[in-house]
């Protein structure tokens, strides 16, 4: 199983960026996928998650209204559209996959509930 996060880079505050999490080696349509991040000197933080069908989504309060998570089951990929980014969004963003067709927003926010992880992609927001 592999998860490959990409799309990070340097962006100005107020700008936009789209991250991708491409997966292989799993039955993608049976997995919940979540995005987490870790900023410099900070703890790991939940960002967003999406159910296996794509119908259920959840977001951290800090990104609600600015970030949108989506998935394309035909491409085995999850996306994180980041709009109106802020300097405090600077972090390494990484994705995880959890095998479950039952979606619980609270469970999707816990890193310990995920089965697989990808490496991170760095997002730097300049002020």
């Amino acid at each position: 199983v592999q998860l490959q996060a990409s799309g990070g880079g340097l962006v100005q505050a107020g700008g936009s960026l789209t991250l991708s999490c491409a997966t292989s080696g799993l039955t993608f349509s049976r997995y919940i996928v979540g995005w987490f991040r870790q900023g410099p000197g900070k703890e790991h933080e939940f960002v967003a998650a999406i159910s296996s069908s794509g119908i259920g989504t959840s977001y951290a309060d800090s990104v609600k209204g600015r970030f949108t998570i989506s998935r394309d089951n035909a491409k085995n990929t999850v996306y994180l559209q980041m709009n109106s980014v802020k300097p405090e969004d600077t972090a390494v963003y990484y994705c995880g996959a959890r095998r479950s067709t039952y979606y619980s927003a609270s469970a999707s926010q816990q890193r310990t509930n995920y089965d697989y992880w990808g490496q991170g992609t760095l997002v730097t927001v300049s002020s």
Side-chain angles (χ1 to χ4, degrees), residues 1-6 19-26 28 33 35 72 75-79 95 97 117-119:
V1 175
Q2 288 191 328
L3 284 75
Q4 180 80 34
S6 62
L19 305 183
S20 299
C21 174
T23 72
S24 61
L26 50 75
F28 184 67
V33 176
W35 284 98
D72 185 337
K75 295 183 178 180
N76 295 343
T77 301
V78 167
Y79 305 96
C95 54
W117 293 101
Q119 91 301 339

Side-chain angles (χ1 to χ4, degrees), residues 21-96:
C21 174
T23 72
S24 61
L26 50 75
T27 305
F28 184 67
S29 61
R30 296 179 182 177
Y31 281 79
I32 292 165
V33 176
W35 284 98
F36 290 75
R37 67 186 181 186
Q38 186 174 29
K42 297 182 180 180
E43 298 291 323
H44 296 275
E45 177 187 16
F46 167 76
V47 177
I50 189 165
S51 66
S52 56
S53 67
I55 294 175
T57 59
S58 56
Y59 297 90
D61 287 342
S62 58
V63 307
K64 201 172 293 183
R66 299 188 297 121
F67 292 8
T68 301
I69 189 170
S70 62
R71 67 190 292 157
D72 185 337
N73 282 0
K75 295 183 178 180
N76 295 343
T77 301
V78 167
Y79 305 96
L80 184 69
Q81 174 68 43
M82 306 168 61
N83 296 329
S84 303
V85 295
K86 305 174 180 180
E88 51 264 43
D89 293 323
T90 294
V92 174
Y93 286 72
Y94 55 101
C95 54

